[in-house]
Amino acid sequence: MGNYEFIKTRVEEATGIIELHRPDVLNALNRKMVDEIVEALERYDQSEDIRVIVITGSQKVFAAGADIDEMADDTPVSMELRNQFAVWDRISLVKKPVIAAVNGYALGGAFELVLNCDLIFAGETAKFGFPEINLGVMPGAGGTQRLAKTMGKAKALEWLWTGEHMSAKEVYQYGVINKVVAPEILMDEVLKYTAKLSRQAPLSVRLIKEAVNKVTDSTLEEGLLLERKNFYLLFGSEDQKEGMKAFIEKRKPDFKGK
Ligand code: DAK
């Protein structure tokens, strides 16, 4: 993988891992770091050896939001000219499953990055929140929309207005995250799940992701049409033939993602 300054990458079996690494400032996301995360995501998405992607931080912190020093002097014009949202938009174009593994703080833009992932696993000591209101701003990289869609309008507003941190257990109760485990076994739990997911038919995994994301991004009618299209598409794949043949022959399928 590329030479990165603010992230580390490694591969475990068929899982590509991206670790945020800017320890001096609690992994605060500066622009270069966001560029690096997106570049690594896209590389793993293209790689034939990778089936699942994990984004994580350290045991202590996922990330304390966007780099406040870097954005303090920004203006609407400077942000518009830099077209900074374009790079964020590329995150949701990743076709493979992306899982966030969160220990410690995931605040502001870091929580938005987490909400952009398909699944969220957290350690018991993880803390989530949108402190933007304390800085006189608001979430701008999808936070208000994704939070309200997953936890409901009333709770999202209550929380966004206070800017307070919520524990992993609380957030789990509202259905925002998938699983809470002891912090020291977080990565093992995530890798157990990705090992399982890596054995599933890759095309099915990818088209299910696209169809489920339609639920939150469109009307029911559009979602049903996309689901049907993807369903037909899978019947044109070698993996569908292999999967059904393997069942009939009472053996495990050997999926190739074709
Ligand atoms: N930015 C820069 N430095 C940060 C930082 C941040 N977000 N968070 C922490 N640090 C630095 C601290 O300044 C401190 O540096 P030194 O003093 O040691 O030099 C060091 O990290 C350790 O932090 P603390 O001493 O504060 O550590 P504590 O354990 O006491 O507190 C904390 C941890 C996470 C509660 C606290 O650090 C904190 O509240 N941090 C700020 C949280 C925050 O407000 N985050 C930013 C939210 S706004 C966009 C997309 C997204 C966004 C914006 C634009 N576009 C696409 C245009 C997102 C915006 C946001 O995230």
Side-chain angles (χ1 to χ4, degrees), residues 111-112 115 130 138-139 141-160 171 174-176 215-216:
F111 191 16
E112 291 179 307
L115 288 173
F130 281 115
M138 64 178 278
T144 61
Q145 305 304 295
R146 292 197 172 92
L147 189 69
K149 277 192 169 145
T150 47
M151 81 188 318
K153 171 191 157 180
K155 200 68 209 170
L157 269 178
E158 181 190 333
W159 192 20
L160 284 157
V171 179
Y174 292 107
V176 179
V215 175
T216 46

Side-chain angles (χ1 to χ4, degrees), residues 18-217:
I18 299 170
E19 184 187 319
L20 313 183
H21 186 69
R22 225 188 143 205
D24 297 348
V25 285
L26 305 182
N27 291 341
L29 305 164
N30 61 10
R31 290 193 289 272
K32 173 125 194 273
M33 190 180 191
V34 176
D35 286 347
E36 289 183 355
I37 295 166
V38 174
E39 203 215 291
L41 276 171
E42 289 176 345
R43 277 187 187 226
Y44 282 144
D45 204 28
Q46 293 302 318
S47 163
E48 290 202 351
D49 304 326
I50 299 298
R51 293 204 168 169
V52 187
I53 306 167
V54 173
I55 305 182
T56 193
S58 65
Q59 277 281 104
K60 192 178 155 214
V61 65
F62 182 82
D67 186 326
I68 298 171
D69 292 330
E70 191 184 60
M71 86 187 146
D73 294 327
D74 259 330
T75 65
V77 174
S78 67
M79 285 193 281
E80 173 61 27
L81 290 176
R82 222 185 287 120
N83 193 13
Q84 222 176 308
F85 289 107
V87 70
W88 283 82
D89 289 342
R90 280 158 52 198
I91 300 172
S92 30
L93 300 178
V94 173
K95 306 275 188 202
K96 288 178 184 162
V98 183
I99 300 178
V102 181
N103 266 326
Y105 293 109
L107 303 177
F111 191 16
E112 291 179 307
L113 174 62
V114 166
L115 288 173
N116 243 303
C117 296
D118 302 309
L119 304 179
I120 306 165
F121 286 47
E124 280 157 0
T125 52
K127 290 215 179 301
F128 299 85
F130 281 115
E132 280 85 344
I133 195 151
N134 302 324
L135 301 168
V137 290
M138 64 178 278
T144 61
Q145 305 304 295
R146 292 197 172 92
L147 189 69
K149 277 192 169 145
T150 47
M151 81 188 318
K153 171 191 157 180
K155 200 68 209 170
L157 269 178
E158 181 190 333
W159 192 20
L160 284 157
W161 277 338
T162 64
E164 285 169 1
H165 304 157
M166 257 200 208
S167 70
K169 274 197 178 149
E170 279 174 289
V171 179
Y172 175 77
Q173 279 168 10
Y174 292 107
V176 179
I177 66 178
N178 294 81
K179 199 166 185 178
V180 184
V181 299
E184 58 281 5
I185 61 161
L186 173 65
M187 212 53 200
D188 291 342
E189 287 294 310
V190 170
L191 290 174
K192 255 191 243 167
Y193 183 81
T194 64
K196 240 192 274 177
L197 189 51
S198 300
R199 288 193 291 273
Q200 305 295 60
L203 276 176
S204 299
V205 169
R206 167 182 172 148
L207 296 183
I208 287 170
K209 169 171 169 164
E210 188 190 14
V212 170
N213 282 343
K214 257 292 186 251
V215 175
T216 46
D217 300 348

